[in-house]
Amino acid sequence: MSVPVLVFASYADAFGARTVTVPVPVPCTVADVITAMRELPGGHRLPGKLLVAVNYVYARPESPVRDGDEVALIPPVAGG
Amino acid sequence: MSVPVLVFASYADAFGARTVTVPVPVPCTVADVITAMRELPGGHRLPGKLLVAVNYVYARPESPVRDGDEVALIPPVAGG
Amino acid sequence: MTVSTPDALIEIVGAPIDLTRLVAHVQHAGVGAVATFLGTVRDVNDGRNVTGIDYEAYQPMAEAEMRAIAAELGAQWEGLSVAIVHRVGTLGIGDVSVAIACAHARRAPAADAMRTAIEALKVRVPIWKRERYADGEWTWVDPTRSSGSGEPA
Amino acid sequence: MTVSTPDALIEIVGAPIDLTRLVAHVQHAGVGAVATFLGTVRDVNDGRNVTGIDYEAYQPMAEAEMRAIAAELGAQWEGLSVAIVHRVGTLGIGDVSVAIACAHARRAPAADAMRTAIEALKVRVPIWKRERYADGEWTWVDPTRSSGSGEPA
């Protein structure tokens, strides 16, 4: 089982893609997804603190990730 | 001798004119001009506290008024 | 390269104000933020139905005061560029009476200068307004007299 | 009569931003003040010569966050109308990256809401920018890392 995770900006550069297929069983937690992403090629370039959104809302490490959720890794924002 | 004084807004309504010829000898002070204006027809409608500009700059009661100066009575401003 | 800051645009005008002209004036390659303010004629003031406002200015002094405000802002925030345009004459609901644009490399000076400019304009620039009401009455607005039910925008 | 407050205009766009469209959106007969903010691409940041910026957004979430900001502002200032438009893609020096317009009967809420909006946008809306420099290098801007020599506008 796996979760597709959207990545942006410097994180997209780190993984060389805009969507990363993360091998983790669902349902799981945001923390589980992050842990699995760090093991992937390019994952070592992620910073220690990561922000994740689930279904367009900022999520906590313990937030659940279910099948079909849209999960995104949010780099430090720099709009404006 | 007299000093022409520009008046605006409610003060122009009070005097029924946009320029008031104030009978006062020059050189004099801003306070002298105000005192003389209160004696003119419509002058009783002026408020107790008056703001005067001489040559486009706010002036004090003791500021001098000389021949050729542009004197203006400034009602409470309401721009914006 | 950062170009030099443009001189302030200061005007009393009798025709509608074009905000984009003010923005274009203050913008240059070194600008990262533009804060603008528009004062508009609204339909209700102090609980009365307003149908229009006549603005009157002591034009040379009003422009001198606006220029002084721009100079003081420029002294407080280095590199600031400023445009202040006030309209006079008869305005209807929704018409723009005053437009201010302040531009700076950074947003805080641009926003703070814009706010300072409108506050200063309202207390020292010799401009007056006569509100016309739906019942046919009119009055010269005097912000120094508090009304209890509201204040000018 | 004062008309009801219009819904917020919230957009991520790929084309140049027209400020007058935002102003027209927030204006209505009850508005006495419109405060706007423009973020523009400037030629120098952190002491480096910038030639352009690429903006990237997580569009659905960015629009959701901007909509949430507008709703929070509307809850704080009753009768406020809000427009927030952010551009994405490749921008050159002087191009407008973001425009905000806040309108209210009175000037203080309009100006305070505008300022609150741009501060909120910069900390929570998922948009990123890659600065390109005259020496050919580029970097994703990270405001959480202080550089000592400056900060974004």
Side-chain angles (χ1 to χ4, degrees):
Chain A
M1 292 178 73
S2 67
V3 174
V5 176
L6 304 179
V7 290
F8 302 93
S10 60
Y11 296 178
D13 292 347
F15 288 104
R18 305 201 147 261
T19 304
V20 179
T21 302
V22 181
V24 64
V26 282
C28 65
T29 67
V30 163
D32 294 334
V33 174
I34 289 175
T35 300
M37 288 187 84
R38 293 192 190 283
E39 300 303 312
L40 296 177
H44 66 285
R45 291 176 59 187
L46 294 175
K49 191 171 177 177
L50 284 173
L51 204 53
V52 173
V54 177
N55 298 332
Y56 319 122
V57 175
Y58 290 110
R60 297 164 172 278
E62 63 272 23
S63 297
V65 174
R66 300 187 180 86
D67 191 35
D69 284 345
E70 181 161 317
V71 180
L73 214 50
I74 309 290
V77 304
Chain B
M1 292 177 75
S2 66
V3 175
V5 176
L6 305 179
V7 289
F8 302 91
S10 58
Y11 297 177
D13 292 347
F15 289 104
R18 303 200 149 263
T19 304
V20 178
T21 302
V22 181
V24 66
V26 282
C28 63
T29 67
V30 162
D32 295 333
V33 173
I34 288 175
T35 300
M37 289 188 84
R38 293 193 189 281
E39 301 302 313
L40 296 177
H44 66 283
R45 292 175 61 186
L46 294 176
K49 192 171 177 178
L50 285 173
L51 204 53
V52 173
V54 177
N55 298 330
Y56 318 124
V57 176
Y58 289 110
R60 297 164 172 277
E62 63 273 21
S63 299
V65 174
R66 299 185 181 86
D67 191 36
D69 283 347
E70 181 161 318
V71 182
L73 213 51
I74 310 290
V77 304
Chain C
M1 300 294 292
T2 302
V3 299
S4 62
T5 308
D7 288 340
L9 170 68
I10 302 295
E11 287 177 356
I12 302 285
V13 299
I17 297 173
D18 177 12
L19 176 61
T20 58
R21 191 170 69 92
L22 280 82
V23 171
H25 181 89
V26 297
Q27 257 218 317
H28 58 79
V31 163
V34 183
T36 80
F37 179 86
L38 295 177
T40 55
V41 178
R42 68 178 194 269
D43 60 356
V44 175
N45 193 27
D46 274 356
R48 301 187 70 174
N49 288 329
V50 176
T51 56
I53 298 184
D54 304 320
Y55 279 90
E56 176 181 334
Y58 179 19
Q59 181 157 350
M61 183 173 170
E63 291 185 347
E65 283 292 319
M66 294 195 304
R67 203 166 294 283
I69 290 168
E72 289 163 23
L73 297 174
Q76 186 167 357
W77 289 286
E78 194 190 342
L80 186 78
S81 45
V82 178
I84 309 175
V85 178
H86 204 296
R87 184 175 171 190
V88 292
T90 297
L91 277 68
I93 304 302
D95 283 347
V96 174
S97 54
V98 62
I100 295 171
C102 292
H104 194 271
R106 309 229 295 245
R107 70 186 181 279
D112 292 347
M114 176 275 271
R115 189 68 190 276
T116 306
I118 182 60
E119 299 300 331
L121 183 142
K122 286 188 172 261
V123 297
R124 54 188 272 200
V125 177
I127 297 175
W128 303 275
K129 63 181 168 194
R130 179 169 53 185
E131 285 185 343
R132 301 177 175 279
Y133 306 105
D135 58 14
E137 292 187 15
W138 55 264
T139 190
W140 289 102
V141 175
D142 181 355
T144 64
R145 275 188 260 174
S146 74
S147 65
S149 62
E151 62 173 43
Chain D
M1 299 297 294
T2 300
V3 300
S4 63
T5 307
D7 286 341
L9 171 69
I10 301 294
E11 288 178 355
I12 301 285
V13 299
I17 298 173
D18 177 12
L19 176 61
T20 59
R21 191 169 70 92
L22 280 79
V23 171
H25 181 89
V26 297
Q27 254 216 319
H28 57 80
V31 163
V34 183
T36 79
F37 179 85
L38 294 176
T40 56
V41 177
R42 68 176 193 269
D43 60 356
V44 175
N45 192 27
D46 275 354
R48 302 187 71 171
N49 289 329
V50 176
T51 56
I53 298 184
D54 303 321
Y55 280 91
E56 176 180 334
Y58 179 20
Q59 180 156 349
M61 183 175 172
E63 292 186 345
E65 283 292 319
M66 296 196 301
R67 203 167 293 283
I69 290 169
E72 290 164 21
L73 297 174
Q76 185 166 359
W77 290 283
E78 194 190 341
L80 186 78
S81 45
V82 178
I84 308 175
V85 178
H86 203 297
R87 184 175 170 188
V88 293
T90 297
L91 277 67
I93 304 303
D95 284 347
V96 173
S97 54
V98 63
I100 296 171
C102 293
H104 195 270
R106 309 227 296 244
R107 68 186 182 281
D112 291 348
M114 175 275 271
R115 189 67 190 278
T116 305
I118 182 62
E119 299 301 328
L121 183 143
K122 285 188 174 261
V123 297
R124 53 188 272 199
V125 176
I127 297 175
W128 304 274
K129 62 181 169 193
R130 179 168 53 184
E131 284 186 343
R132 302 178 175 281
Y133 305 105
D135 58 15
E137 293 188 13
W138 56 265
T139 189
W140 289 101
V141 174
D142 181 355
T144 63
R145 277 188 259 175
S146 74
S147 64
S149 62
E151 63 174 43

